[in-house]
Amino acid sequence: MKILVKRLHSHDLPLPQYMTPGASGLDIYAAVDQEVVIPPGKFFLVPTGLAVAIPEGYEAQIRPRSGLALKYGITLLNTPGTIDADYRGEIKVLVINLGDKEYILKRGERIAQMVFARVEKVELEETDDLEITARGAGGFGHTGV
Ligand SMILES: O=c1ccn([C@H]2C[C@H](O)[C@@H](COP(=O)(O)OP(=O)(O)OP(=O)(O)O)O2)c(=O)[nH]1
Ligand SMILES: [Mg+2]
């Protein structure tokens, strides 16, 4: 399906792209003006320079890249970030450095990935009687770890 995308700035950077034919996510490029130092334990809101028009019934999720997580402890504070269908502002990526060294974020690096997914809208109906299941109220390791 086609998604309209608008470059708000940083026209020199590539549009998000699937790096392999079977990739779930489009890698997103950091549209910072210059290098940004993210100290251990600190977070930083990374601009992408992009806005999108997502059709009703879909969303985009902003997810971490596992390579950055494994190598540097770089992940996203609010993962997965939610881009609502009605959002027309700049997509931003809330990066946190959980590593023990400062991270130098460079302009144009692939900082996260964006997955488009269907979302269901529901209508909540209140009741006092929920159906009985084998799990019941057991959770949080109820079945063992
Ligand atoms: O990683 C993210 C998460 C959100 N957003 C934008 C798009 C999204 O549609 C909007 C609102 O996000 P969310 O609903 O997660 O935040 P909120 O704190 O509930 O804000 P709001 O009251 O604006 O919904 O912010 C991003 O650009 N990047
Ligand atoms: Mg919200």
Side-chain angles (χ1 to χ4, degrees):
M1 72 189 272
K2 284 210 162 57
I3 301 280
L4 292 177
V5 57
K6 180 176 176 182
R7 292 187 210 243
L8 304 170
H9 56 81
S10 300
H11 295 258
D12 54 311
L13 294 181
L15 288 178
Q17 55 182 302
Y18 296 111
M19 300 308 290
T20 62
S24 297
L26 299 134
D27 279 5
I28 299 177
Y29 297 84
V32 286
D33 291 339
Q34 54 202 18
E35 285 186 359
V36 175
V37 177
I38 309 175
K42 299 293 183 190
F43 53 83
F44 182 79
L45 193 58
V46 180
T48 65
L50 302 172
V52 290
I54 303 173
E56 190 56 46
Y58 291 82
E59 64 166 338
Q61 300 168 3
I62 307 298
R63 300 193 195 166
R65 293 188 62 212
S66 61
L68 291 177
L70 180 64
K71 268 194 203 154
Y72 306 110
I74 288 294
T75 185
L76 306 184
L77 181 53
N78 61 328
T79 185
T82 302
I83 309 299
D84 298 289
D86 56 358
Y87 181 69
R88 297 292 177 270
E90 181 174 4
I91 294 174
K92 296 195 174 166
V93 178
L94 189 48
V95 168
I96 184 164
N97 180 1
L98 297 182
D100 53 12
K101 295 188 187 66
E102 57 182 32
Y103 183 75
I104 317 276
L105 173 70
K106 297 192 179 68
R107 178 175 174 81
E109 79 167 79
R110 288 176 290 137
I111 190 61
Q113 56 188 320
M114 177 164 58
V115 175
F116 286 86
R118 281 183 192 275
V119 283
E120 296 292 339
K121 284 285 164 61
V122 303
E123 193 185 325
L124 293 177
E125 186 184 326
E126 191 170 354
T127 179
D128 286 329
D129 300 304
L130 299 176
E131 63 167 312
I132 290 166
T133 66
R135 173 180 288 277
F140 305 94
H142 179 76
T143 62
V145 283

